[in-house]
Amino acid sequence: MRMVDIIQQKRNGHVLTQEEIEFFVAGYTRGDIPDYQASALMMAIYFQGMDEQEIATLTQAMVDSGETIDLSSIKGHKVDKHSTGGVGDKTSFVVAPLVASVGIPVAKMSGRGLGHTGGTLDKLESVSGFDIEMSKADFVDRVNTNKLAIAGQTGNLAPADKKLYSLRDVTATVDSIPLIAGSIMSKKLASGADSIVLDVKTGSGAFMKTLEESEALAREMVRIGNNLGRNTVAVISDMNQPLGFEVGNANEIKEAVAVLKGERIHDLRRLSLELAAHMAVVAEVFSSYEEAYDQLAENLDNGKAFEAFRTFIAAQGGNVEMIDDLNKLPSSQYHVDVKSPKGGYVAAIDAESIGVAAMYLGAGRATKDDAINHGVGISLQKKIGDEVSEGETLAVLHAEDAHPQDSIDRVLSAYVIEDDQPDPITLIHKVIK
């Protein structure tokens, strides 16, 4: 079999066979197939697409390219949750302990962030002592004991995907739905969960900017999961403004804890309950979404979800005093108000610009070697639909610089103030099963 023939087949719009796809993935992972030929195939897929069976085969081949995690020694139905990423997206810190509070095991592999804020692991490391490195035996024991553990991803999970993503990033082939879907699902499938719930973001702060694109991606990932033996559900949620009010690292932990203690931060609480309820149903702990939602909402209000989070932090070496007294979490030297230049109503907030402003403060990484500052970030004071007066504070920047002008400018450019109050944003657009 020759790689040039496979490229030609896809260039001409033909369906690739299982053998051809497996030949490519295995050869590229080993280094037998050069980048220029892999790039040519990625571009052919970008223009010609792939059918359902091709995408499932590509995903499985990427799973098989490295280690897979065997979670069979964990008792119960393991459910994983994945978000396609957004600004202020701290749902994992609410959803995971919430699901654990009803006895469902959550064995989660997470990564670090490259972009506007840290990833799940970076945010958790705002809590001093929190340990993401553990043996497989310790990981399994913690999930069996506490129903929840979060660890760093193994270095050899879906290595084909890592190589292909790096190549796609420099060849303008990242935004191909078959390749995005295969990339995300290969890592989720290799992580060993029995079922998967996906939070697919749409809007200005999401990778997929339109609802049509987000729905196409969600449907493809659900098809892949179901075709490869995992019950998969996708929730399409809005990212036309940051989720909640906090963007950063330690400040996002604070906001998640507030919701775990029953505080009504509407969009964060609502989306967390939505995702957790679907996880509880696919785990077959509840027979209906409504029953699951009601019980989970009760566990936010009665303290059971917060206790599950506190136990999880302590079990992984975190300083629980920082959870009990949130003022002990990292904070910045300066707190700078960004004032509205005019009165009216907040008509739009460009979520991506808010994220970039947070990165300028040091909350995220421009390159993989950058250090994260856990104490900096942004606290929004106004969101879409809120009335604002001229000179009123739109957001507070938590900074190590008394005059973070680049971030101030970014926040001001993100806000659109108009005379008429806009219609409310729809938070949950669709659920795809």
Side-chain angles (χ1 to χ4, degrees):
M1 191 175 296
R2 298 190 311 162
M3 187 62 199
V4 66
D5 297 325
I6 297 173
I7 296 167
Q8 186 177 43
Q9 281 282 93
K10 182 47 66 179
R11 184 200 69 186
N12 293 340
H14 299 302
V15 173
L16 298 181
T17 67
Q18 178 177 339
E19 292 75 17
E20 287 170 332
I21 292 171
E22 289 175 348
F23 172 84
F24 162 66
V25 171
Y28 186 60
T29 305
R30 289 194 307 266
D32 297 341
I33 295 170
D35 281 349
Y36 59 82
Q37 287 189 310
S39 299
L41 182 60
M42 294 300 98
M43 191 61 76
I45 291 171
Y46 180 90
F47 283 112
Q48 296 291 356
M50 299 181 96
D51 70 14
E52 185 176 331
Q53 187 56 53
E54 283 179 294
I55 298 170
T57 301
L58 175 65
T59 305
Q60 187 62 59
M62 290 195 289
V63 171
D64 295 340
S65 70
E67 297 174 8
T68 55
I69 298 170
D70 180 6
L71 300 180
S72 59
S73 52
I74 294 174
K75 305 178 187 72
H77 189 109
K78 282 75 68 178
V79 184
D80 200 358
K81 167 253 173 196
H82 175 80
S83 168
T84 57
V87 181
D89 184 8
K90 71 277 296 177
T91 53
S92 288
F93 310 128
V94 180
V95 170
L98 184 53
V99 170
S101 76
V102 293
I104 299 168
V106 181
K108 189 164 181 55
M109 300 289 170
S110 293
R112 299 194 180 278
L114 182 62
H116 37 74
T117 55
T120 298
L121 302 181
D122 298 301
K123 293 171 186 178
L124 284 168
E125 287 177 340
S126 299
V127 182
S128 64
F130 188 86
D131 183 20
I132 62 161
E133 304 294 341
M134 65 193 85
S135 68
K136 181 186 173 184
D138 285 342
F139 182 73
V140 168
D141 181 63
R142 284 169 180 165
V143 179
N144 278 329
T145 302
N146 305 317
K147 299 301 180 186
L148 172 59
I150 298 179
Q153 292 172 343
T154 174
N156 200 36
L157 206 66
D161 173 61
K162 292 183 179 69
K163 287 191 71 174
L164 286 170
Y165 187 87
S166 297
L167 189 68
R168 288 163 53 213
D169 196 34
V170 295
T171 57
T173 54
V174 169
D175 52 340
S176 159
I177 285 177
L179 298 177
I180 297 168
S183 173
I184 292 171
M185 293 303 291
S186 66
K187 293 189 286 288
K188 290 293 105 181
L189 293 165
S191 296
D194 299 314
S195 297
I196 301 165
V197 173
L198 302 162
D199 180 12
V200 180
K201 304 294 189 185
T202 189
S204 67
F207 185 71
M208 310 304 274
K209 305 298 184 187
T210 71
L211 183 57
E212 292 74 20
E213 291 174 324
S214 301
E215 184 174 348
L217 176 60
R219 290 191 184 282
E220 203 56 74
M221 290 193 292
V222 168
R223 274 196 291 265
I224 291 170
N226 291 336
N227 283 342
L228 296 178
R230 306 295 200 283
N231 189 1
T232 305
V233 175
V235 175
I236 301 178
S237 67
D238 196 84
M239 189 42 68
N240 280 302
Q241 65 178 340
L243 185 65
F245 292 87
E246 303 293 337
V247 180
N249 293 284
N251 57 333
E252 290 193 30
I253 294 289
K254 290 179 185 179
E255 188 169 42
V257 169
V259 171
L260 286 167
K261 288 184 173 180
E263 191 169 324
R264 259 55 174 187
I265 300 170
H266 169 71
D267 55 352
L268 178 55
R269 177 184 168 101
R270 173 72 182 86
L271 180 57
S272 297
L273 283 168
E274 179 79 17
L275 296 169
H278 288 295
M279 291 172 74
V281 171
V282 296
E284 300 178 348
V285 170
F286 295 92
S287 58
S288 73
Y289 165 85
E290 292 77 15
E291 181 189 3
Y293 191 100
D294 289 346
Q295 182 59 63
L296 291 161
E298 184 177 327
N299 281 15
L300 283 180
D301 296 333
N302 64 23
K304 288 183 179 178
F306 172 68
E307 281 306 313
F309 183 73
R310 196 176 180 279
T311 299
F312 150 68
I313 292 292
Q316 293 193 212
N319 182 355
V320 181
E321 290 183 7
M322 291 180 141
I323 301 304
D324 294 335
D325 180 1
L326 296 173
N327 291 321
K328 293 183 177 180
L329 284 166
S331 61
S332 64
Q333 184 175 358
Y334 298 101
H335 307 280
V336 181
D337 289 354
V338 180
K339 308 281 192 178
S340 179
K342 58 183 286 191
Y345 293 91
V346 179
I349 304 173
D350 183 68
E352 188 170 5
S353 288
I354 297 292
V356 171
M359 186 181 74
Y360 286 163
L361 294 172
R365 295 181 179 91
T367 72
K368 65 180 181 179
D369 297 321
D370 288 349
I372 289 283
N373 185 328
H374 294 98
V376 301
I378 299 173
S379 297
L380 303 181
Q381 303 299 301
K382 299 290 182 179
K383 295 188 71 175
I384 292 174
D386 290 343
E387 189 171 9
V388 60
S389 303
E390 182 179 346
E392 195 174 359
T393 300
L394 296 171
V396 178
L397 308 186
H398 309 292
E400 296 302 332
D401 178 355
H403 303 286
Q405 197 60 50
D406 286 345
S407 293
I408 292 171
D409 292 343
R410 274 283 185 170
V411 170
L412 286 172
S413 71
Y415 274 84
V416 177
I417 312 295
E418 294 182 351
D419 293 336
D420 297 326
Q421 189 172 25
D423 293 332
I425 277 185
T426 299
L427 179 63
I428 310 293
H429 290 280
K430 285 191 176 183
V431 176
I432 295 169
K433 300 179 182 180

